[in-house]
Amino acid sequence: SKYLDPDAPITSPILPPPKKETVQLPPRKASIITPSSLIITLQHAAEISSWIDRRSTIYDVTEIPYEFKLLLRGSRDGFTGEVFHRICDNIPGTVVAVKINSTNEILGGYNPLIWKISSGTN
């Protein structure tokens, strides 16, 4: 339309990009925890909590904002995938920690979502 009427003002339905705002969440209720895990310590729980919250510094062990509840212990419940899914499916905010016996390495992951295996039908 600008070419047809060069004196007409330019109007556009395209909006400018939204401004990304950083939201500071209120602090969570802190509590001292004692993990029942044989793998992770309070220091690990503080570091994992910091990763979950994407903090640049690690929480102090007296300020851990999460409650860590042991759901599965391989030596008690078994080490199969079936056991894992039976106990851990549909539980959001799951932290998995595995210790490799031969190297004493601790591996793991965090999933904030609910894990659910589909039945294979779409």
Side-chain angles (χ1 to χ4, degrees), residues 14-122:
I14 299 173
L15 300 174
K19 293 182 181 179
K20 186 174 182 180
E21 295 183 28
T22 304
V23 177
Q24 181 65 37
L25 298 174
R28 294 181 177 99
K29 180 182 173 188
S31 63
I32 296 177
I33 62 158
T34 52
S36 54
S37 170
L38 299 174
I39 297 174
I40 66 168
T41 64
L42 275 174
Q43 289 76 17
H44 290 127
E47 190 164 2
I48 292 166
S49 298
S50 301
W51 294 341
I52 291 169
D53 288 345
R54 300 172 191 236
R55 286 177 47 120
S56 58
T57 58
I58 297 174
Y59 283 111
D60 185 87
V61 294
T62 62
E63 299 174 341
I64 299 171
Y66 297 103
E67 176 185 354
F68 287 77
K69 188 185 301 183
L70 182 67
L71 300 175
L72 184 149
R73 176 174 280 143
S75 60
R76 177 191 68 200
D77 304 308
F79 293 96
T80 67
E82 177 189 311
V83 168
F84 175 85
H85 288 291
R86 180 173 39 85
I87 295 173
C88 299
D89 278 5
N90 300 316
I91 309 232
T94 305
V95 174
V96 175
V98 179
K99 186 173 183 179
I100 309 300
N101 283 336
S102 60
T103 63
N104 282 332
E105 290 177 292
I106 298 173
L107 307 175
Y110 168 72
N111 186 357
L113 307 174
I114 293 177
W115 176 267
K116 189 170 185 175
I117 298 287
S118 67
S119 63
T121 58
N122 293 337

